[in-house]
């Protein structure tokens, strides 16, 4: 009986010795794992914003007066310069060399009267035309801040005559050429968003049918860029 009790005590002691180191090592591993665990923190990222470049103004809306003369080769007729008006819209490219094109409604006024002064009544007549200026130019002066710009330009101007105003000559649309073609020279100044242009165009086709009558026109444009 005593032998059985001794054997049981030895077995219980052996089991205690076997399992105790395993529990201690497991506890050590868990502790180490807790010590080695480092909480992950997120670093806030900063976003940089870049300034949006301002949109360059390339469209020009303009209007202004013009002074027109009809150059006739007729000893019986004289001519006088008269004032008309025009309005237009154009698009201009950027750069030292630039191009520009657009549409212009042109209403020049011409005056013809007998050379001997015997004529009576109003000797003026107006023409309604649609011009298509096709322009090449050079930016002579352009500041870095684009506050001031100076440029010169040359243009080819196809033109379509669409009507004639009331006049004492009895001129109507059937008595003038429908198509004309002009050459144009000018100089322009831009101040901030304002546009000023001064130039001259000369028609290479006679305005009045069956008569030597080349139109010439000096003009002033005042406009805005947008």
């Amino acid at each position: 009986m005593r032998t059985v009790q001794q054997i049981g005590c030895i077995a219980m002691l052996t089991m205690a010795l076997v399992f105790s180191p395993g529990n201690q090592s497991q506890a050590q591993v868990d502790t180490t794992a807790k010590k080695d665990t480092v909480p992950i923190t997120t670093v806030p990222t900063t976003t940089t914003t870049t300034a949006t470049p301002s949109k360059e103004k390339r469209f020009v809306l303009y209007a202004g007066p013009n002074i027109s003369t009809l150059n006739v080769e007729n000893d019986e007729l004289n001519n006088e310069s008269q004032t008309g008006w025009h309005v237009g819209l154009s698009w201009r490219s950027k750069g030292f060399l630039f191009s520009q094109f657009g549409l212009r409604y042109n209403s020049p006024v011409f005056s013809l009267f007998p050379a001997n002064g015997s004529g009576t009544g109003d000797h003026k007549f107006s023409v309604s035309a649609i011009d298509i200026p096709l322009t090449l130019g050079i930016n002579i002066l352009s500041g870095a801040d684009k506050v001031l710009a100076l440029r010169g330009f040359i243009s080819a101007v196809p033109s379509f005559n669409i009507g004639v105003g009331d006049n004492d000559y009895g001129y109507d649309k059937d008595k003038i050429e429908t198509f004309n073609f002009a050459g144009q020279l000018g100089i322009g100044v831009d101040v901030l968003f304002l546009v000023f242009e001064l130039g001259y165009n000369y028609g290479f086709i006679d305005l009045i049918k069956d008569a030597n009558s080349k139109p010439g026109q000096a003009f002033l444009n005042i406009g805005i860029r947008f």
Side-chain angles (χ1 to χ4, degrees):
M1 184 69 176
R2 183 177 296 177
T3 302
V4 175
Q5 292 177 352
Q6 291 177 352
I7 292 172
C9 291
I10 293 171
M12 292 177 64
L13 181 60
T14 302
M15 291 177 66
L17 293 174
V18 170
F19 288 104
S20 294
N23 293 333
Q24 292 177 359
S25 62
Q26 184 176 0
Q28 292 176 356
V29 171
D30 294 341
T31 305
T32 305
K34 291 180 181 180
K35 290 182 179 180
D36 293 340
T37 302
V38 179
I40 300 174
T41 58
T42 58
V43 179
T45 58
T46 58
T47 58
T48 58
T49 58
T50 57
T52 302
S54 59
K55 184 179 179 180
E56 186 165 352
K57 299 176 178 62
R58 295 194 183 185
F59 286 93
V60 179
L61 178 64
Y62 63 90
N66 55 61
I67 300 175
S68 302
T69 303
L70 197 59
N71 301 301
V72 293
E73 296 180 5
N74 191 326
D75 295 336
E76 297 180 357
L77 291 175
N78 285 337
N79 62 76
E80 284 184 345
S81 299
Q82 298 293 333
T83 302
W85 62 277
H86 59 271
V87 60
L89 175 67
S90 62
W91 179 91
R92 186 197 309 165
S93 68
K94 62 181 180 178
F96 175 69
L97 295 174
F98 69 89
S99 60
Q100 181 172 311
F101 62 91
L103 288 174
R104 177 173 65 200
Y105 176 79
N106 194 3
S107 181
V109 179
F110 303 100
S111 176
L112 293 176
F113 55 93
N116 57 16
S118 60
T120 60
D122 188 0
H123 302 288
K124 297 185 295 184
F125 67 98
S126 63
V127 175
S128 298
I130 300 296
D131 300 341
I132 308 175
L134 307 173
T135 301
L136 292 175
I138 299 176
N139 281 309
I140 304 169
L141 172 65
S142 181
D145 52 3
K146 298 183 180 179
V147 173
L148 178 65
L150 176 65
R151 53 198 159 74
F153 57 88
I154 183 171
S155 311
V157 187
S159 180
F160 299 88
N161 298 314
I162 58 176
V164 178
D166 294 336
N167 60 86
D168 294 339
Y169 290 107
Y171 288 162
D172 56 19
K173 189 174 180 294
D174 294 333
K175 291 187 177 181
I176 65 171
E177 295 290 347
T178 302
F179 177 76
N180 209 318
F181 186 83
Q184 179 174 274
L185 287 172
I187 189 168
V189 177
D190 297 341
V191 182
L192 295 176
F193 61 90
L194 298 176
V195 175
F196 304 93
E197 293 178 338
L198 185 65
Y200 183 84
N201 63 65
Y202 180 81
F204 297 109
I205 298 176
D206 294 324
L207 178 65
I208 301 173
K209 294 180 180 179
D210 302 325
N212 294 322
S213 50
K214 303 292 192 302
Q217 184 181 82
F219 63 88
L220 171 64
N221 295 337
I222 302 174
I224 57 173
R225 294 188 299 157
F226 62 96

